[in-house]
Amino acid sequence: MTDITLAPIQPDQPSHLMATYGRQAISFVRGRGAYLYTEDGTEYLDALTGIAVCGLGHAHPVIAEAIAEQAVTLVHTSNLFEIPWQTAAAQKLAEVSGMEEIFFSNSGAESNEGAIKIARKFGTQQGVRLPKIIVAEQSFHGRTLATLSATGNKKVQDGFAPLTNDFIRVPFGDVEAIQEAALQHPDIVAILIEPIQGEGGINTAPQGFSYLEEVRNICNQHNWLMMLDEIQTGNGRTGKYFAYQHTNIVPDVLTTAKGLGNGFPVGAVMTQGKAVGLLGPGSHGSTYGGTVLGSRVVYTVIDTIQKENAVENAAVVGRYIVDQLRTQLADKNVQVRGFGMMIGIQLPKDCAELVAIARDQHKLIINVTAGSVVRLLPPINMTQAQADDLLERLVALINNYL
Ligand SMILES: Cc1ncc(COP(=O)(O)O)c(C=O)c1O
């Protein structure tokens, strides 16, 4: 063990960190399952899990053991060599996703970059000189130049012109707008959407998951690639391994990250059907994508999700939380939405201040997105007792606030 002890951060301490984040003045030194702890031992219930990352909870013993064992065995060799853990992780991910080919990356944005490259390659092969991709309003796809261009939030794009001009934007859930775009733009080759918009406010399409079926039909009709961004919704979060599994369709391209590594930075872009084989030798790569260590983590995370029946748990306990919130907050002007452990509570007013109130008064970690939506992303393996603990703190928070 290291003998370095870091001094606590002082409020006025000068920092060399780029000021890209609005940070809360608290830090956690330890975590266990659904709980986080500060240096003085204060316990917080974590209903955010690092923004849908630690789906199996903090410091999961099986994941921790896999990381520790691999760290003292072999961390990285490069993709110049065969990596049996990468092959095994791809096999597992193919099993749970129904996809055929997998490329491992290190983050969500990078996985979406891979998807955008696949769409461009697909278009180019069809003879489309400048291929276009349909994306949705209020979407979030990342912070790299191509993915921020795809993102439907002006704040993310502000000051970063020139944006890439691949993207045609339509309202989320509006299939007529997609058909209209098809008439106007013969160079469209793909659609990229989130099954449930996370950063946008836990938005489900007005027609529910049948929106995905409608999009699938349109993609088939026009020979476009259907590409789903499941970076937030994937890995059991919505009560299915991937959210599109609430339907009978399969996308051509699928991206994921976040819960795939339970806190270890990994991502993946996957293909099946007509999207297979578009990225061949020399066309894509990543030094850190699919390292021995990262791949073993992916394998172990999926294996653990399966062995703990965590996806089924997310469906059942998530349903319970939603039902209880609807009942217990019935006299409040709120709308509760979401699937599994991806839950939004739409409040009638902006409520960013609730994050600090929840933390300081209820020892509860939540997030507010899209101004007025309390976003809950608890561990997918949360127990019923922990869900009751969450409900007690949350209902008190909202009752006091409204
Ligand atoms: C749907 C979606 N896509 C992409 C991203 C970007 O992922 P990353 O921050 O790992 O680049 C996020 C992150 O919040 C996301 O929610």
Side-chain angles (χ1 to χ4, degrees), residues 105-116 231 255-257 266-269:
S105 60
N106 311 283
S107 68
E110 234 186 286
S111 306
N112 283 338
E113 285 279 340
I116 294 163
I231 283 151
T255 59
T256 197
V266 285
V269 55

Side-chain angles (χ1 to χ4, degrees), residues 51 106-110 112 140-143 194 196 198-199 229-233 257-258 375:
I51 321 182
N106 311 283
S107 68
E110 234 186 286
N112 283 338
F140 185 80
H141 297 296
R143 301 273 190 171
E194 298 156 82
I196 300 175
E199 303 304 300
D229 175 342
E230 293 234 26
I231 283 151
Q232 195 162 144
T233 53
K258 289 188 182 276
R375 179 166 53 161

Side-chain angles (χ1 to χ4, degrees), residues 108-312:
E110 234 186 286
S111 306
N112 283 338
E113 285 279 340
I116 294 163
K117 281 179 73 173
I118 289 168
R120 286 189 180 183
K121 200 65 183 271
F122 176 72
T124 307
Q125 286 191 356
Q126 314 280 313
V128 179
R129 205 172 58 83
L130 296 172
K132 298 268 190 299
I133 301 169
I134 292 185
V135 289
E137 288 169 7
Q138 278 99 43
S139 62
F140 185 80
H141 297 296
R143 301 273 190 171
T144 60
L145 280 169
T147 60
L148 75 80
S149 302
T151 291
N153 178 347
K154 284 267 171 286
K155 272 202 270 177
V156 172
Q157 299 171 339
D158 243 15
F160 298 117
L163 304 183
T164 70
N165 64 358
D166 309 37
F167 301 105
I168 293 163
R169 204 166 298 286
V170 297
F172 185 60
D174 186 343
V175 281
E176 271 89 57
I178 299 174
Q179 292 290 24
E180 187 60 32
L183 291 175
Q184 284 176 17
H185 304 276
D187 43 6
I188 293 170
V189 299
I191 298 185
L192 173 65
I193 46 170
E194 298 156 82
I196 300 175
Q197 294 184 324
E199 303 304 300
I202 316 286
N203 303 326
T204 47
Q207 63 275 55
F209 285 119
S210 62
Y211 175 50
L212 300 183
E213 290 161 351
E214 292 165 4
V215 169
R216 177 72 271 180
N217 283 338
I218 297 174
C219 287
N220 292 349
Q221 189 190 334
H222 296 286
N223 191 33
W224 297 342
L225 294 181
M226 178 177 184
M227 311 204 295
L228 290 182
D229 175 342
E230 293 234 26
I231 283 151
Q232 195 162 144
T233 53
N235 308 291
R237 178 61 43 200
T238 73
K240 294 281 181 186
Y241 210 98
F242 286 99
Y244 72 81
Q245 292 162 346
H246 288 282
T247 72
N248 289 322
I249 62 108
V250 184
D252 302 302
V253 180
L254 174 68
T255 59
T256 197
K258 289 188 182 276
L260 184 65
N262 210 57
F264 194 89
V266 285
V269 55
M270 303 169 245
T271 59
Q272 67 86 34
K274 60 181 182 241
V276 167
L278 288 163
L279 295 185
S283 61
H284 201 45
S286 163
T287 297
Y288 289 129
T291 61
V292 187
L293 176 57
S295 301
R296 179 158 178 190
V297 171
V298 169
Y299 180 93
T300 311
V301 166
I302 300 174
D303 194 51
T304 307
I305 288 175
Q306 289 175 320
K307 286 185 175 143
E308 287 192 10
N309 292 323
V311 180
E312 297 75 7

